[in-house]
């Protein structure tokens, strides 16, 4: 789950006969609201966004690239730490609402977590929301999750998929032995900017690439195809 977003749409998302949605304008309005610490305005723009676009499109084309942009602004000094934290709070609050009930159902189960030391768990929200839209049940562990704890539970009651996300390769390489054992207990996927083919191959995991929405769509499609192809 990298930094891919909706810029290939040249700023618009077509919705059938409806007028195109200007995703660049929406992201610009949200960025300005975050810069001014205007939560009410940010909530209003998010309301318009989710009302005008299908959920997965709104997440992929507005929310995910928006938060990458906020991170870039913080790294360049255009945003203060306070502004970045404010933006993260507003977006996390909205994604938390959208994630309600994602553990319910009778579909396959996915565990979502970040390895020890990794605090950036926000991309796991759109990933889990989209996966749940496609019939999966989500167990969310979030940031800084001990791998040995996941392993202990997976050995007793393995999920259908464990997804670990990190922003730097060290978060994975430092836990190589534990990740290898986890991959032996349950299907494992690594994601985020810290995930590489080398790490995935070394621990026996699947590498998820692309933005979180596209990655979740791919997981659901591949697992659905595998289920269809299994002998009766």
């Amino acid at each position: 789950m990298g930094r891919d977003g909706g810029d290939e749409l040249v700023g618009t998302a077509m919705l059938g006969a409806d007028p195109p949605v200007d995703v660049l304008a929406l992201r610009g309005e949200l960025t300005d609201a975050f810069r001014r610490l205007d939560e009410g305005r940010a909530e209003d723009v998010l309301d318009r966004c989710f009302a005008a676009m299908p959920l997965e499109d709104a997440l992929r084309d507005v929310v995910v690239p928006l938060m990458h942009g906020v991170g870039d602004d913080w790294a360049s000094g255009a945003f203060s730490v306070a502004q970045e934290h404010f933006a993260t709070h507003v977006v996390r609050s909205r994604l938390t609402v959208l994630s309600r009930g994602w553990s319910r159902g009778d579909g396959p189960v996915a565990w979502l977590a970040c390895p020890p030391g990794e605090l950036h768990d926000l991309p796991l929200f759109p990933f889990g929301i989209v996966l749940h839209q496609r019939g999966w049940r989500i167990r969310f562990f979030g940031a800084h999750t001990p791998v040995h704890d996941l392993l202990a539970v997976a050995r007793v009651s393995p999920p259908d998929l464990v997804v670990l996300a990190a922003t730097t390769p060290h978060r994975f390489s430092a836990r190589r032995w534990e990740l290898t054992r986890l991959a032996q207990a349950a299907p494992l996927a690594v994601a985020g900017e810290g995930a590489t083919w080398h790490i995935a191959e070394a621990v026996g995991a699947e590498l998820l690439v692309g933005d979180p929405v596209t990655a979740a769509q791919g997981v659901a499609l591949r697992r659905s195809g595998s289920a269809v192809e299994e002998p009766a």
Side-chain angles (χ1 to χ4, degrees), residues 226-232:
S226 297
V228 170
E229 293 169 2
E230 287 179 0

Side-chain angles (χ1 to χ4, degrees), residues 148-181:
H148 61 80
D149 283 356
L150 296 174
L151 176 58
V153 180
R155 282 174 169 165
V156 177
S157 180
D160 297 280
L161 181 66
V162 180
V163 177
L164 292 180
T167 55
T168 62
H170 174 71
R171 301 299 185 202
F172 293 118
S173 60
R175 305 287 171 175
R176 178 171 172 173
W177 184 87
E178 291 177 298
L179 293 175
T180 300
R181 298 300 181 273

Side-chain angles (χ1 to χ4, degrees), residues 39-194:
E39 186 167 359
R41 181 183 172 203
E43 291 287 0
D44 288 343
V45 178
L46 286 171
D47 286 343
R48 285 173 21 223
C49 171
F50 285 107
M53 303 175 68
L55 175 61
E56 295 183 10
D57 290 353
L59 291 172
R60 183 192 63 234
D61 300 331
V62 178
V63 175
V64 171
L66 167 74
M67 293 312 296
H68 281 312
V70 168
D72 289 342
D73 284 346
W74 169 80
S76 69
F79 260 37
S80 68
V81 172
Q83 289 169 318
E84 190 271 341
H85 284 188
F86 176 82
T88 299
H89 160 71
V90 173
V91 172
R92 180 183 292 273
S93 297
R94 179 58 63 102
L95 294 178
T96 298
V97 171
L98 294 173
S99 71
R100 287 177 182 168
W102 64 1
S103 65
R104 299 172 185 166
D106 55 9
V109 175
W111 292 1
L112 310 183
C114 295
E118 180 59 58
L119 302 178
H120 297 86
D121 63 355
L122 198 63
L124 290 172
F125 276 91
F127 181 89
I129 290 166
V130 171
L131 210 53
H132 178 62
Q133 289 281 310
R134 290 160 186 266
W136 285 61
R137 291 174 287 165
I138 307 301
R139 305 290 186 266
F140 187 83
F141 298 92
H144 194 57
T145 302
V147 177
H148 61 80
D149 283 356
L150 296 174
L151 176 58
V153 180
R155 282 174 169 165
V156 177
S157 180
D160 297 280
L161 181 66
V162 180
V163 177
L164 292 180
T167 55
T168 62
H170 174 71
R171 301 299 185 202
F172 293 118
S173 60
R175 305 287 171 175
R176 178 171 172 173
W177 184 87
E178 291 177 298
L179 293 175
T180 300
R181 298 300 181 273
L182 181 57
Q184 293 169 351
L188 174 65
V190 292
E193 294 180 16

Side-chain angles (χ1 to χ4, degrees), residues 208-219:
L208 300 183
V209 297
D211 66 87
V213 174
T214 303
Q217 292 169 339
V219 166

